[in-house]
Amino acid sequence: MYAEAGKKGAMNKPTVNSLSQPGPCRREFLRRASLAAAAVLAPMPQLLYAQAPSGQADSGQGPKSSDAVGETASPDYRLQIAEIDWELAPRKNVRTTAYNGQIPGTLLRLTEGQPVSIEIVNRLNRPEIVHWHGQWIAPAVDGSMEEGAPMIPPGATTRIAFTPHPSGLHWYHTHAMAHRDLKHGLYSGQFGVLLVDPPSNPARYDQEQFLVLHDWEPYYAASDDGSLMVNYVCGSINGRMLGHDAPIQVREGQQVLFHILNASATQVHKLSLPGHSFQVLALDGRPVPSRARVETIRLGPAERASVLVAMNSPGVWILGETNSAFRSAGMGTVIEYAGRAGKPVWTAPASPHWDYRVFGDAVPVVRKPDLTLPLVFTSRFQGHGALDRWMINGKSYPDTAPILLKEGLRHRLIFDNRSMDDHPVHLHRHSFELVSIRGAVLSGVHKDVVIVEAGTVVEADLVANNPGNTLFHCHQQDHMDSGFMALFQYA
Amino acid sequence: MKLTLLAVLLLAAAIPAARAQGNYEIQVYGAETVAPRSTMVELHSNFTADGQRRTIDGVAPTYHAEHETLEITQGINDWSEVGFYVFTSEQSGLGPQWVGDHIRPRVRVPEKWRWPVGVSLSTEVGYQRALFSPDTWTWEIRPIVDKTAGRWYFAVNSALERTWHGPDVNLGLGFSPAAKISYDFTKRITGGFEYYADYGSITSIATLHNQQQQLFPAIDLNLSPKWEINFGVGIGPTAATDHWIVKGIIGRRFDWGRHNKGQ
């Protein structure tokens, strides 16, 4: 699927269970074919990412009338959840679950404002649920049972319909709990890219590539701070370990747009491409006011970045994890210039630093909130051989009371992380605007996931304008499984 | 890697073993090894409050002896480490004395194999002066199994010992098991019991009177990821055992590179 833009034919190499290959429905097939044709035939640079007016808060438009479980003659897309054997590298297979028999799942490329229907078939022997991460849609179709969306029973088929909004790089993934079973939830291969094209976009690029990061073969290990943590044997980009996928072919002078998604269950990743810089266009699908160039992209679980890279340093390079342990375990891919050959080169970035603030307004806009909501993150020790219990404001889900929002008001969420872990916290069905990190103000950076580092405070403004149950949680699978969730409700 | 590690484990298991370190290093080993690119430096301080009072066969008494042991362990990879010991003793009439040195390679089943229990195997070889141990060259092999379950921790060390040079050279394999059970009262305070014994030769188990048996109520303080602190008081009820020993371990880990945790 991704080969349409990336010419990475090796994406189709892995063997899959024949039961897990339903094939795309006709409309999807036509869409793929037209995209592939556009990539091959269009001589002009393509366009993407309109710049949002700087400093604006989220419009947070409510769900369209079509945001409901709907029945039409035939769905626009079909997703089948089933077990597969997936080849990460020669002689390195994993048995996992995935969408449409591939990892990542089928690329869903939608158009903002154009309703879509998706049929989901659950071939597993356990209930499943698919979350449309980053979409401002109704709770009934958002894909979170905590919000009231139904689980898909084993063997059942369901159909959902919604109107994609907002545009940008988003994703879909399982929202099932894993608890102590490291084959379920986001430890599995149930994730895929959801790209929502805007009605118009002025950014120029010559080639578009999708990079989806994931970690495999999780196991529990003792952490430095005495609690259990999840480690992984290997990692992959687009389902293949470094050195075992076809290189991404580029030409000198090209502008390549990379859509990067960290689909790891728990692990923060930093990526770098030696000899090149990343111009950040959008974070979590939302355009940033300052398109700063950085050497390193840091993405927590569920974070996304759309970045432009000027291909002006011919050679064969590794685009990979800055941490050598992760890189040698597979987290990387190869960028190969036309006419160049040889062993891929890696050099560590001079500046691995990452700071959300550099992407904000040059002069931060300070706004006064209508309400403040302190959210204090703590943990309760359960023994060196057990996962910590996580709490928000002293309560661990589901033993919590809903946090009330008032429609139309600007709520200042104060993420006060008093634990020893970093937390990529995520808000469903909305995005928020970062307003301060460690006391330093910023504006214009809208996200739906933000990493709150250990012992720090991050403040973000949420304009409550998408009524309905809204889940807030840490996107580390082991943390959300251990109570790090809260339900927001509109008063 | 699995085959290599299994080969090392099997090879080590085939090697005969020897005598342990008496009360110079009093510790039940866990299965975990020091991480690669890390060095653990530990100081073992043991004071024998009530022990052997007379010189026997040229070996100095242990009564009121203060033993200080420096242990430096370097992590090699995620399944092996090498430890090095410097044993010293200070007691009335002798003053500070160098006792001997040991080297201790250790391999483990990596966590990524996801075994239900931790398993490792250490082998230790070294020299100690005849003034402090009649057996001057010894060899030990120590299978280690441990398990953490919630707040509980269990470890068993089934050490086999062999003398290379000294009066016990013809004794064959000696059996010196050790075990630990502990409970995490808080994230920082763990308390439990440690048991150490020397049953003599495996082909001729000593009488209870001649066995070494020690029980240590002990606490571990987990104040920081970089520090290891252990303290205990040992009771030796048999005639062949030092009756009261106070032991302490303080360790500091030094990291020389980045690790997965926290990046």
Side-chain angles (χ1 to χ4, degrees):
Chain A
M1 182 64 220
Y2 289 57
E4 69 183 24
K7 302 177 180 61
K8 299 182 71 181
M11 289 295 296
N12 295 323
K13 279 180 185 172
T15 58
V16 296
N17 186 326
S18 60
L19 291 176
S20 67
Q21 292 181 302
C25 56
R26 181 174 174 274
R27 181 167 168 181
E28 183 186 356
F29 175 79
L30 293 173
R31 190 184 299 269
R32 284 193 201 180
S34 64
L35 285 167
V40 172
L41 299 175
M44 296 298 291
Q46 299 184 47
L47 306 170
L48 194 67
Y49 283 106
Q51 176 64 60
S54 177
Q56 284 187 357
D58 289 326
S59 62
Q61 295 172 14
K64 304 294 190 294
S65 58
S66 60
D67 288 355
V69 177
E71 295 293 337
T72 58
S74 86
D76 299 312
Y77 291 91
R78 184 174 293 125
L79 289 181
Q80 179 172 260
I81 310 167
E83 286 200 3
I84 62 168
D85 284 314
W86 188 257
E87 186 187 89
L88 296 167
R91 296 185 301 281
K92 185 66 176 176
N93 283 45
V94 289
R95 181 81 178 162
T96 187
T97 54
Y99 298 123
N100 291 352
Q102 64 182 61
I103 291 172
T106 305
L107 167 62
L108 299 183
R109 190 156 200 162
L110 313 179
T111 301
E112 186 176 27
Q114 183 174 322
V116 64
S117 65
I118 301 168
E119 185 176 87
I120 306 166
V121 182
N122 180 11
R123 298 275 186 215
L124 305 180
N125 58 8
R126 63 175 185 271
E128 266 297 344
I129 193 165
V130 181
H131 169 48
W132 305 96
H133 187 123
Q135 289 296 284
W136 300 342
I137 54 180
V141 292
D142 185 49
S144 161
M145 60 178 291
E146 293 80 6
E147 292 174 344
M151 298 290 282
I152 308 167
T157 298
T158 190
R159 186 180 298 186
I160 62 164
F162 62 87
T163 302
H165 178 66
S167 62
L169 175 63
H170 305 292
W171 64 308
Y172 61 98
H173 61 83
T174 177
H175 211 274
M177 294 292 183
H179 297 295
R180 292 297 292 260
D181 189 333
L182 298 183
K183 290 184 177 301
H184 291 177
L186 273 171
Y187 301 116
S188 75
Q190 289 184 61
F191 54 85
V193 170
L194 171 66
L195 188 73
V196 180
D197 286 319
S200 64
N201 41 65
R204 293 174 176 276
Y205 63 92
D206 302 298
Q207 188 184 158
E208 187 178 35
Q209 292 287 345
F210 296 85
L211 304 177
V212 183
L213 286 54
H214 195 66
D215 297 287
W216 297 100
E217 297 188 281
Y219 61 95
Y220 287 112
S223 71
D224 288 347
D225 62 16
S227 300
L228 274 189
M229 63 175 287
V230 179
N231 267 355
Y232 301 88
V233 175
C234 55
S236 69
I237 291 182
N238 294 345
R240 298 288 284 181
M241 293 171 68
L242 174 60
H244 301 287
D245 197 3
I248 294 173
Q249 304 284 342
V250 300
R251 292 193 303 276
E252 187 173 3
Q254 276 191 327
Q255 297 283 330
V256 178
L257 176 63
F258 287 96
H259 293 295
I260 310 172
L261 158 66
N262 182 358
S264 175
T266 63
Q267 193 66 58
V268 176
H269 285 295
K270 284 184 173 180
L271 293 180
S272 188
L273 175 60
H276 301 77
S277 62
F278 302 104
Q279 185 181 21
V280 175
L281 306 183
L283 295 173
D284 294 354
R286 307 297 308 281
V288 294
S290 299
R291 296 180 167 186
R293 290 183 187 277
V294 294
E295 278 192 78
T296 303
I297 300 289
R298 183 194 70 174
L299 293 176
E303 284 194 300
R304 296 88 73 199
S306 295
V307 301
L308 203 57
V309 177
M311 291 298 167
N312 52 15
S313 184
V316 182
W317 303 100
I318 292 174
L319 193 170
E321 240 286 358
T322 58
N323 182 314
S324 60
F326 287 124
R327 202 171 57 254
S328 61
M331 190 58 76
T333 192
V334 175
I335 306 292
E336 185 178 279
Y337 278 70
R340 298 293 178 132
K343 190 177 176 186
V345 174
W346 169 262
T347 54
S351 174
H353 187 60
W354 175 264
D355 187 343
Y356 293 119
R357 290 176 298 169
V358 301
F359 310 110
D361 290 315
V363 179
V365 179
V366 178
R367 297 184 185 83
K368 191 171 179 226
D370 300 308
L371 294 166
T372 59
L373 289 175
L375 299 166
V376 180
F377 310 149
T378 54
S379 64
R380 187 188 303 127
F381 180 65
Q382 304 284 83
H384 293 299
L387 293 170
D388 287 354
R389 194 73 195 162
W390 289 96
M391 291 166 291
I392 299 173
N393 293 343
K395 300 287 187 183
S396 190
Y397 193 88
D399 302 320
T400 55
I403 294 169
L404 295 181
L405 303 175
K406 290 188 177 174
E407 186 171 1
L409 298 189
R410 175 180 289 268
H411 300 71
R412 181 143 301 169
L413 308 177
I414 302 171
F415 305 135
D416 184 355
N417 183 0
R418 298 183 188 174
S419 76
M420 295 174 70
D421 284 8
D422 298 349
H423 297 291
V425 292
H426 168 49
L427 185 65
H428 284 223
R429 305 177 54 251
H430 299 75
S431 65
F432 44 71
E433 179 184 7
L434 302 181
V435 295
S436 83
I437 295 173
R438 296 176 186 262
V441 298
L442 75 160
S443 65
V445 178
H446 298 258
K447 293 178 63 54
D448 57 58
V449 181
V450 63
I451 295 181
V452 185
E453 294 178 8
T456 68
V457 174
V458 171
E459 294 180 308
D461 277 3
L462 164 66
V463 177
N465 49 15
N466 193 11
N469 287 343
T470 300
L471 191 64
F472 171 78
H473 63 92
C474 176
H475 220 283
Q476 279 197 219
Q477 182 80 53
D478 55 336
H479 291 180
M480 65 181 282
D481 288 348
S482 301
F484 200 140
M485 295 202 293
L487 193 64
F488 288 8
Q489 288 183 336
Y490 280 70
Chain B
M1 202 275 278
K2 277 191 178 184
L3 286 176
T4 307
L5 182 51
L6 279 174
V8 171
L9 286 163
L10 290 171
L11 184 64
I15 298 170
R19 182 130 332 256
Q21 272 326 293
N23 50 11
Y24 289 89
E25 185 211 6
I26 304 172
Q27 185 174 22
V28 179
Y29 291 175
E32 192 175 359
T33 52
V34 173
R37 301 186 300 279
S38 290
T39 306
M40 190 74 183
V41 179
E42 293 169 280
L43 182 67
H44 301 257
S45 302
N46 304 320
F47 178 71
T48 306
D50 185 4
Q52 177 189 315
R53 293 173 183 253
R54 294 176 293 112
T55 298
I56 300 175
D57 294 336
V59 176
T62 58
Y63 180 74
H64 280 196
E66 173 67 29
H67 293 167
E68 296 291 338
T69 298
L70 176 66
E71 177 183 0
I72 301 171
T73 307
Q74 175 65 45
I76 306 299
N77 50 37
D78 66 352
W79 54 271
S80 70
E81 67 178 24
V82 174
F84 180 75
Y85 298 87
V86 180
F87 303 112
T88 69
S89 176
E90 199 282 331
Q91 60 197 112
S92 177
L94 288 176
Q97 296 284 326
W98 170 71
V99 174
D101 294 313
H102 280 196
I103 190 166
R104 178 188 52 77
R106 187 150 73 103
V107 294
R108 64 164 302 184
V109 171
E111 282 179 303
K112 67 176 73 168
W113 289 15
R114 292 175 276 187
W115 282 24
V117 294
V119 175
S120 70
L121 186 66
S122 81
T123 183
E124 182 172 332
V125 63
Y127 169 82
Q128 45 278 331
R129 293 166 62 195
L131 179 61
F132 299 95
S133 169
D135 299 318
T136 52
W137 282 96
T138 57
W139 197 353
E140 173 196 279
I141 190 162
R142 183 186 294 246
I144 299 153
V145 177
D146 74 357
K147 173 73 178 175
T148 305
R151 292 177 182 266
W152 290 96
Y153 175 76
F154 311 89
V156 175
N157 297 182
S158 303
L160 298 170
E161 304 167 353
R162 182 102 171 81
T163 297
W164 275 358
H165 188 273
D168 289 343
V169 72
N170 295 318
L171 204 61
L173 282 175
F175 180 47
S176 300
K180 177 171 183 168
I181 180 171
S182 64
Y183 182 81
D184 299 325
F185 292 103
T186 70
K187 191 164 192 170
R188 296 183 173 182
I189 300 175
T190 302
F193 293 94
E194 298 173 8
Y195 168 74
Y196 302 88
D198 184 344
Y199 289 89
S201 169
I202 59 170
T203 56
S204 175
I205 297 294
T207 62
L208 182 62
H209 181 77
N210 289 316
Q211 290 176 10
Q212 291 184 25
Q213 301 273 356
Q214 285 177 319
L215 185 67
F216 283 77
I219 61 168
D220 293 284
L221 301 180
N222 315 296
L223 303 181
S224 156
K226 294 195 177 300
W227 288 93
E228 172 189 290
I229 299 170
N230 170 272
F231 177 80
V233 178
I235 307 153
T238 67
T241 315
D242 289 332
H243 297 311
W244 287 98
I245 294 178
V246 180
K247 70 144 184 167
I249 303 169
I250 184 164
R252 172 69 159 84
R253 196 186 74 191
F254 298 90
D255 295 326
W256 310 110
R258 288 185 295 179
H259 297 271
N260 281 5
K261 174 66 178 175
Q263 291 195 73

